[in-house]
């Protein structure tokens, strides 16, 4: 007998190859035994004979089971593929009959997925992708100094070490890590500093080999060429520079490359794609010298100081991080203590030299280091979360659309359930269309994200270099994975709800009855969209107000009207004053130029001079108080027309005359700090020595920023251009005031004049506006993208409110007809619809404001003079959302008010 009869019916549910083989072997065994018994053998002898004839039945059974299982798997796979193919074909046919629904789902999801793909491509470059051309970046480390700032907080800076400290580190870490030195400079390449400035890395001989970079042409510099005492003038260039500047010429080796007027010989070309290890692009690597390029060897370093270099390490073992940090911390504390002692001894001490907390290791890319995120990068990481919120809002909207579509399919679903379809099969059947549409939307988003991501990087993050492919496999994979998840979520939620329908009630129900229409899910989805939209709009409002505050900062200069010009001469020689005067006069006659002044530093360049000075404490007895450089009062040497040229106002007194004599101008902060009880005008200041003549304060100028857009007020004073302290500092800057509309021509003409006047020098002409633009960029980035994402979320949420209210009105037409027939006024109907629509919106906005307030600390550090709980924003956002919801609900509400009660009653 071949197994129990009941087991045969299990074949309808699932094949069982092992049981089938057992049944088959048992059948043949029984048949052979019966045959031997008919031939006259006893049952015992027949069993022995059959066992001997069948042999090793275990091996036969195992082989037959393996074959049957392979056949069963193929059969199941064929059935599954056939079912999926049929389901997809059915979905395509259904979607082809609902093109509007399909288009709405694709467009909505493509918007949500597109912003996610664009943001992920940036985050991939900053946080995930290893620098192109670098070998095994996971074992590379950058060293950081974790110091206490003046407020006691820990601040991270790239580790700067002297040559002696590096030698001690290298000796102590031998066998644990290999170390290399480097630093960077921004230099003019090829003598054209206006249109071609590049980051140049000065590095030790083992720097490029330590990174694992290969030379595709020529070689890298040797230890002798990179000697700290006498570096050779050789250079390695990037593949990008080789192709763009030298046309990919293979005879480039041995050619000359000028870097700020210093001639270097090209000896090698780095491997294709390698442009350094940081976000900014590097095109040139030169041997590490004792001084920065162009620095005057006659200038002495401050006591206890000297040139310092950054350190990169390759660990021999990933577990060496802790040991490296401990050794480096011990050595750096010793050298810091020595430097601090020397500085205090000569009266040039700074207490924070004793504030080293520890040395930390971090990834090779500086932007990934501890506490070193640029504001643009910080904002972009927040925007990554914002992009996900936009996608969630889009998904909620699509669920609403598909819930409405499920109403139209409720009889179809009821019939399928009545015919015996399983719940899992039904859910898959209802989910398949949304998954298909999501994958199409993902393809659209992936195709467009390459363009939108490039535009985003070019316009808002121009300093970030995206080496390698513009759109790598990770963003593409992320986009399609997000599309798959979004499609599954948006399809499963309506499918599960539809699969729970009561078959009997649906088969009997009319057009205005059924489970779907009584679902509370749609108002919850509207509330979710309102909450998430509120979060985005709050962020947008905070960044817009922050940008407005930053743009309203008065810098003290007429920034749009100013340009600065200087000349870098060989050996850091100062300008010849007569030649500079003739060049300034020639620049003054350029069309569009209004005035030209001279100063030791350009406006907002960050350059200042520090010196001891003395202020009178008792003029009757000639007592003077000494102020060292630690008092942080800086000065500049300027020409008489400097204030009129730059736009700095003289608030009291006057500026310099043609013959300034022993006069001085102080800014408002210095006047308040050093003469708080009286007027600064007429006060005496001695410079450098007590024996110097007394400089009389003749004017008080308004505060002007010296380093950037956002800084605290600082004490500053101006001395006449001929002041001895400003001599020998490597020349002056020419400050040009011109018509902003003609500034481009002024810059080109000025550079031509300076190149003619100083043929041995390298001219630099820069717009002051360009110098401070990077300071505005983070706030513009946050305001622009938060606003764009917030508006997009608001539009999607508005569509969600409209579709929900429209759906509800359609289902309640009979009710409204009855109400109107019973005497309800039209305003009562409109009010009822609007109140029901606004309920979820108001609840969602309240939740959204709570979320925004709870997460405000994530953006607090990125704002300027704006509280994360700014009252104006917190009031404006709910008003905007409620007004938008009212506008979206008004059209369906008016349609409800115009229903014909006769038609509604006739429907019964």
């Amino acid at each position: 007998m071949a197994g129990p009869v009941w087991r045969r019916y299990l074949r309808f549910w699932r094949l069982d190859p092992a049981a089938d083989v057992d049944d088959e072997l048992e059948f043949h065994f029984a048949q052979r035994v019966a045959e031997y018994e008919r031939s006259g053998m006893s049952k015992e002898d027949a069993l022995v004979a059959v066992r001997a004839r069948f042999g090793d039945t275990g091996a036969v059974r195992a082989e037959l089971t393996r074959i049957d299982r392979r056949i069963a798997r193929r059969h199941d796979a064929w059935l599954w593929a056939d079912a999926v193919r049929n389901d997809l074909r059915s979905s395509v046919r259904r979607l082809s009959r609902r093109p509007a629904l399909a288009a709405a789902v694709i467009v909505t999801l493509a918007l949500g997925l597109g912003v996610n793909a664009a943001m992920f491509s940036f985050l991939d470059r900053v946080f995930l992708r290893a620098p192109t051309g670098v070998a095994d970046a996971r074992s590379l480390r950058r060293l950081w100094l974790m110091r206490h700032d003046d407020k006691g907080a820990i601040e991270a800076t790239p580790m700067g070490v002297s040559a002696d400290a590096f030698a001690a580190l290298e000796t102590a870490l031998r066998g644990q890590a290999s170390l290399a030195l480097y630093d960077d400079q921004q230099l003019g390449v090829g003598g054209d500093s206006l249109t071609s400035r590049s980051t140049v890395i000065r590095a030790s001989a083992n720097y490029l080999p330590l990174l694992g970079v290969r030379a595709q042409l020529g070689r890298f510099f040797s230890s002798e060429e990179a000697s700290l005492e006498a570096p050779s003038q050789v250079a390695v260039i990037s593949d990008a520079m080789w192709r763009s500047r030298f046309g990919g010429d293979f005879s480039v080796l041995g050619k000359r490359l000028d870097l700020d007027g210093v001639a270097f010989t090209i000896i090698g070309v780095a491997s294709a794609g390698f442009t350094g290890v940081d976000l900014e692009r590097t095109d040139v690597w030169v041997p590490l010298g004792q001084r920065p390029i162009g620095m005057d060897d006659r200038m002495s370093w401050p006591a206890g100081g000297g040139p310092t270099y950054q350190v990169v390490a390759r660990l021999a073992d990933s577990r060496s991080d802790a040991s490296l940090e401990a050794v480096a911390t011990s050595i750096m504390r010793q050298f810091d203590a020595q430097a601090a002692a020397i500085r205090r001894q000569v009266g040039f001490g700074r207490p924070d030299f004793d504030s080293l907390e520890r040395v930390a290791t971090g990834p090779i890319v500086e932007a990934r280091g501890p506490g070193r995120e640029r504001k643009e990068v910080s904002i972009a990481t927040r925007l990554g979360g914002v992009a996900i919120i936009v996608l969630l809002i889009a998904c909620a909207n699509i669920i609403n659309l598909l819930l409405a579509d499920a109403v139209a399919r409720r009889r179809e679903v009821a019939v399928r359930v009545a015919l015996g379809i399983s719940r899992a099969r039904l859910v898959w059947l209802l989910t398949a269309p949304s998954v298909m549409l999501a994958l199409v939307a993902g393809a659209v988003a992936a195709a467009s994200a390459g363009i939108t991501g490039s535009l985003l990087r070019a316009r808002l993050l121009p300093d970030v270099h995206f080496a390698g492919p513009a759109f790598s496999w990770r963003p593409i994979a992320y986009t399609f994975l997000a599309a798959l998840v979004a499609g599954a979520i948006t399809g499963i939620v309506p499918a599960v709800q539809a699969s729970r329908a009561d078959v009997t009630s649906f088969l009997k129900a009319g057009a205005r009855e059924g489970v779907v229409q009584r679902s509370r899910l749609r108002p919850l989805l509207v509330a979710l969209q309102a909450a998430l939209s509120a979060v985005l709009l709050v962020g947008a409002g905070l960044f817009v107000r922050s940008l407005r505050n930053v743009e309203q900062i008065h810098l003290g200069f007429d920034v749009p009207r100013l340009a600065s010009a200087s000349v870098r001469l060989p050996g850091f020689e100062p300008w010849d004053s007569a030649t500079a005067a003739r060049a300034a006069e020639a620049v003054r006659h350029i069309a569009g130029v209004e005035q030209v002044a001279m100063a030791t530093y350009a406006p907002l360049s960050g350059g200042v001079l520090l010196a001891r000075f003395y202020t009178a404490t008792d003029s009757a007895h000639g007592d003077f108080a000494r102020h060292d450089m630690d008092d942080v009062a800086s000065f500049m040497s300027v020409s008489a027309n400097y204030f009129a040229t730059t736009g700095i106002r003289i608030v009291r007194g006057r500026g310099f005359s043609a013959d300034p004599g022993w006069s001085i101008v102080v800014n408002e902060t210095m006047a308040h700090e050093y003469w708080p009880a009286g007027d600064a005008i007429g006060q005496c200041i001695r410079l450098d020595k007590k024996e110097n003549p007394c400089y009389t304060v003749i004017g008080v100028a308004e505060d002007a920023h010296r380093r950037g857009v956002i800084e605290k007020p600082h004490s500053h004073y101006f001395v006449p251009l001929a002041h001895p302290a400003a001599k020998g500092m490597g020349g002056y800057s020419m400050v040009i005031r011109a018509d902003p509309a003609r500034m481009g021509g002024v810059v080109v003409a000025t550079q031509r004049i300076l190149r003619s006047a100083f043929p041995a020098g390298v001219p630099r002409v820069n717009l002051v506006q360009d110098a401070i633009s990077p300071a505005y960029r983070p706030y513009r980035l946050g305001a622009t993208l938060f606003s764009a994402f917030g508006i997009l979320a608001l539009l999607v949420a508005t569509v969600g409110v409209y579709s929900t209210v429209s759906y509800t009105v359609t289902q309640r037409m009979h009710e409204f007809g009855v109400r109107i027939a019973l005497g309800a006024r039209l305003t009562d109907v409109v009010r009822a619809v609007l109140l029901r629509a606004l309920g979820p919106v108001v609840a969602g906005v309240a939740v959204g404001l709570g979320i925004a307030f709870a997460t405000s600390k994530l953006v607090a550090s990125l704002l300027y003079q704006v509280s994360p709980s700014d009252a104006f924003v917190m009031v404006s956002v709910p008003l905007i959302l409620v007004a938008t919801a009212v506008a979206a609900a008004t059209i369906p509400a008016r349609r409800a008010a115009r229903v014909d009660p006769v038609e509604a009653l006739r429907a019964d």
Side-chain angles (χ1 to χ4, degrees):
M1 186 75 180
V5 176
W6 61 266
R7 197 168 65 188
R8 300 176 189 175
Y9 296 102
L10 296 181
R11 307 292 196 276
F12 292 109
W13 176 60
R14 183 179 180 182
L15 295 177
D16 188 351
D20 291 344
V21 169
D22 288 341
D23 291 346
E24 187 73 16
L25 289 176
E26 185 178 354
F27 171 77
H28 287 290
F29 193 91
Q31 291 295 316
R32 187 61 63 187
V33 169
E35 181 182 344
Y36 283 165
E37 286 181 341
R38 285 194 297 271
S39 66
M41 296 179 65
S42 65
K43 186 171 184 179
E44 292 74 10
D45 293 339
L47 289 172
V48 172
V50 170
R51 289 194 183 98
R53 182 169 181 175
F54 271 60
D56 186 3
T57 56
V60 174
R61 178 184 182 279
E63 180 63 19
L64 292 176
T65 301
R66 186 183 64 80
I67 294 173
D68 281 5
R69 282 177 175 165
R70 185 173 66 246
I71 295 172
R73 282 195 299 269
R74 290 178 178 175
H75 180 263
D76 290 343
W78 181 86
L79 290 178
W80 180 85
D82 186 61
V84 170
R85 183 171 58 252
N86 291 333
D87 292 343
L88 294 179
R89 187 180 303 159
S90 174
S91 299
V92 170
R93 285 198 304 268
R94 175 165 182 80
L95 292 174
S96 64
R97 295 194 296 267
R98 302 290 300 276
L101 175 66
V105 172
I106 291 175
V107 171
T108 305
L109 264 184
L111 289 173
L113 292 170
V115 296
N116 274 267
M119 293 308 307
F120 188 86
S121 65
F122 172 79
L123 298 176
D124 171 59
R125 168 65 178 91
V126 176
F127 295 106
L128 300 178
R129 194 186 307 178
T132 304
V134 173
D136 190 18
R138 291 175 296 180
S139 64
L140 288 171
R141 298 290 186 273
R142 186 190 293 262
L143 272 62
W144 300 82
L145 295 178
M146 311 298 290
R147 293 187 182 276
H148 294 279
D149 61 16
D150 54 359
K151 297 180 180 179
I154 300 296
E155 183 181 23
T157 57
M159 181 171 171
V161 301
S162 64
D164 293 340
F166 178 77
L169 278 172
E170 199 170 29
T171 300
L173 293 171
R174 185 169 289 118
Q176 299 180 46
S178 301
L179 307 180
L181 287 174
Y182 74 99
D183 70 2
D184 59 84
Q185 289 179 270
Q186 284 288 325
L187 301 177
V189 179
D192 186 0
S193 64
L194 175 65
T195 58
S196 179
R197 293 186 64 76
S198 295
T199 299
V200 176
I201 294 291
R202 302 185 310 125
S204 57
N206 66 330
Y207 175 76
L208 292 173
L210 183 74
L211 297 178
V213 181
R214 299 180 179 275
Q216 64 169 316
L217 194 65
R219 62 178 178 85
F220 296 149
F221 34 84
S222 63
S223 300
E224 293 75 18
E225 292 170 327
S227 168
L228 288 178
E229 288 74 23
S232 300
Q233 304 299 95
V234 295
V236 175
I237 62 175
S238 68
D239 175 80
M241 174 174 279
W242 174 49
R243 297 183 185 280
S244 62
R245 183 173 287 272
F246 298 97
D249 185 4
F250 284 92
S251 62
V252 69
L253 301 181
K255 288 189 175 181
R256 169 174 168 161
L257 180 69
D258 286 337
L259 301 177
D260 263 13
V262 180
F264 285 78
T265 302
I266 298 174
I267 63 171
V269 178
S271 57
F274 177 68
T275 54
V277 297
D278 287 321
L279 300 183
E280 293 77 15
R281 173 173 174 163
T282 302
D283 281 319
V284 183
W285 296 266
V286 299
L288 188 68
Q290 191 172 8
R291 303 278 193 268
I293 295 172
M295 182 64 72
D296 186 358
D297 288 341
R298 294 171 298 175
M299 294 180 61
S300 61
W301 294 96
T308 59
Y309 314 100
Q310 295 188 50
V311 180
V312 60
R314 184 178 288 277
L315 300 179
D317 188 330
S318 60
R319 293 170 296 181
S320 302
D321 269 305
S323 175
L324 188 154
E325 291 178 356
V327 172
T329 299
S330 175
I331 292 175
M332 289 305 299
R333 281 177 176 165
Q334 296 176 19
F335 279 88
D336 266 12
Q338 296 174 13
I342 296 174
R343 288 170 184 265
R344 283 194 295 269
Q345 182 179 352
V346 299
F348 193 69
R350 282 179 51 192
D352 65 349
F353 268 80
D354 294 323
S355 64
L356 177 66
E357 170 72 14
R358 62 187 178 90
V359 173
T361 57
I364 187 64
V365 179
E366 183 177 356
R368 303 177 192 173
R372 290 292 295 178
E373 270 194 4
R374 290 167 45 172
K375 277 198 171 182
E376 296 98 319
V377 175
S378 298
I379 292 174
T381 56
R382 275 60 169 185
L383 286 170
V386 169
I388 294 176
I389 293 177
V390 173
L391 181 58
L392 290 176
I393 295 174
C395 289
N397 200 328
I398 291 170
I399 292 174
N400 256 331
L401 293 175
L402 295 180
L403 282 172
D405 182 61
V407 174
R409 302 185 65 181
R410 60 187 181 182
R411 288 185 176 275
E412 172 195 342
V413 171
V415 170
R416 289 180 179 272
V417 173
L419 293 177
I421 189 172
S422 67
R423 184 175 180 182
R425 180 94 168 86
L426 179 61
V427 169
W428 158 248
L429 190 64
L430 298 176
T431 304
S434 65
V435 173
M436 290 176 57
L437 294 176
L439 292 177
V440 173
V444 173
S448 62
I451 300 174
T452 56
S454 298
L455 292 175
L456 173 69
R457 296 190 294 265
R459 293 184 64 86
L460 299 174
L461 301 165
D463 296 335
V464 176
H465 176 61
F466 288 77
F471 206 62
S472 68
W473 66 268
R474 273 187 295 265
I476 295 176
Y478 169 81
T479 302
F480 279 100
L481 178 61
L484 189 62
V485 172
I489 292 175
T490 56
I492 286 177
V493 173
V496 169
Q497 187 171 17
S499 68
R500 293 174 176 173
D502 180 21
V503 178
T504 303
S505 61
F506 264 151
L507 289 177
K508 296 185 340 182
R512 45 187 174 78
E513 299 176 20
V515 178
V516 175
Q517 66 193 63
R518 294 196 300 268
S519 173
R520 297 180 180 177
L521 182 58
R522 292 175 67 87
L524 289 177
L525 292 172
V526 171
L528 174 64
Q529 293 181 74
L532 297 179
S533 298
V535 173
L536 298 192
L537 290 176
V538 166
L542 294 176
F543 274 102
V544 168
R545 287 177 63 80
S546 185
L547 174 62
R548 188 200 62 177
N549 291 343
V550 171
E551 290 180 337
Q552 289 180 345
I553 294 174
H554 180 57
L555 304 178
F557 299 98
D558 294 338
V559 172
R561 310 184 73 88
L562 296 181
S564 65
S566 61
V567 177
R568 173 68 64 83
L569 295 171
F572 214 67
E573 291 293 331
W575 292 21
D576 174 70
S577 57
T579 305
R582 289 193 297 271
E585 185 63 25
V587 171
R588 191 175 290 112
H589 287 86
I590 298 173
V593 173
E594 300 170 359
Q595 294 194 62
V596 178
M598 302 294 291
T600 46
Y601 291 100
L604 295 168
S605 66
V608 291
L609 299 174
L610 301 174
R612 295 187 182 95
F613 64 96
Y614 304 81
T615 58
T617 57
D618 184 352
S619 57
H621 297 85
D623 294 334
F624 286 82
R626 167 176 161 167
H627 303 280
D628 288 333
M629 284 181 277
D630 286 341
D631 291 326
V632 198
S634 57
F635 78 93
M636 287 178 61
S637 181
V638 300
S639 61
N641 65 337
Y642 178 79
F643 301 107
T645 300
T646 58
I648 298 178
R649 295 181 300 109
I650 302 296
V651 296
R652 291 196 302 279
R654 62 180 178 84
F656 297 123
S657 61
D659 182 16
W662 298 98
S663 59
I664 196 169
V665 175
V666 301
N667 71 350
E668 292 178 284
T669 298
M670 185 169 179
H672 295 154
E673 180 175 353
Y674 292 95
W675 300 280
D679 191 356
I681 303 297
Q683 296 292 338
C684 175
I685 295 180
R686 295 187 183 275
L687 303 177
D688 296 337
K689 296 180 181 178
K690 285 189 176 182
E691 291 77 16
N692 282 353
C694 181
Y695 281 77
T696 303
V697 178
I698 63 171
V700 177
E702 67 174 326
D703 288 340
H705 291 216
R706 61 180 180 179
R707 298 184 183 276
V709 174
I710 299 175
E711 65 179 29
K712 296 179 180 179
H714 58 277
S715 295
H716 189 73
Y717 58 96
F718 303 88
V719 297
L721 191 65
H723 182 262
K727 292 186 176 295
M729 298 306 295
Y732 299 103
S733 286
M734 183 184 297
V735 183
I736 305 165
R737 183 184 184 90
D739 182 0
R742 310 180 73 171
M743 191 64 80
V746 170
V747 168
V748 174
T750 301
Q751 188 175 11
R752 184 171 59 250
I753 290 172
L754 293 179
R755 188 177 287 116
S756 175
F758 301 94
V762 180
R764 295 179 176 177
V765 185
N766 303 294
L767 301 180
V768 175
Q769 183 73 56
D770 292 342
I772 62 172
S773 289
Y776 292 109
R777 191 177 301 135
Y779 303 99
R780 288 175 179 156
L781 172 67
T784 301
L785 292 187
F786 261 94
S787 297
F789 290 169
I791 292 173
L792 177 60
L794 182 62
L795 290 175
V796 174
T798 302
V799 173
V801 172
Y802 172 81
S803 63
T804 299
V805 176
S806 181
Y807 163 79
T808 303
V809 167
T810 301
Q811 298 299 310
R812 297 177 64 192
M813 280 298 188
H814 177 267
E815 174 191 341
F816 294 139
V818 173
R819 287 191 178 192
I820 294 173
L822 293 177
R825 294 176 299 177
L826 300 184
T827 54
D828 295 334
V829 174
V830 172
R831 186 185 303 111
V833 173
L834 292 180
L835 290 177
R836 183 155 185 173
L838 291 179
V841 173
V842 171
V845 169
V847 173
L849 291 179
I851 295 174
F853 183 80
T855 58
S856 59
K857 61 181 180 181
L858 297 178
V859 297
S861 61
L862 305 175
L863 304 175
Y864 178 71
Q865 292 186 350
V866 176
S867 169
S869 57
D870 183 77
F872 178 81
V873 174
M874 292 298 179
V875 171
S876 300
V877 167
L879 292 179
I880 292 173
L881 284 169
V882 171
T884 304
V886 170
T890 297
I891 297 176
R894 293 180 62 186
R895 180 158 54 91
R898 291 197 301 265
V899 65
D900 185 356
V902 177
E903 294 294 332
L905 294 175
R906 187 180 298 166
D908 282 342

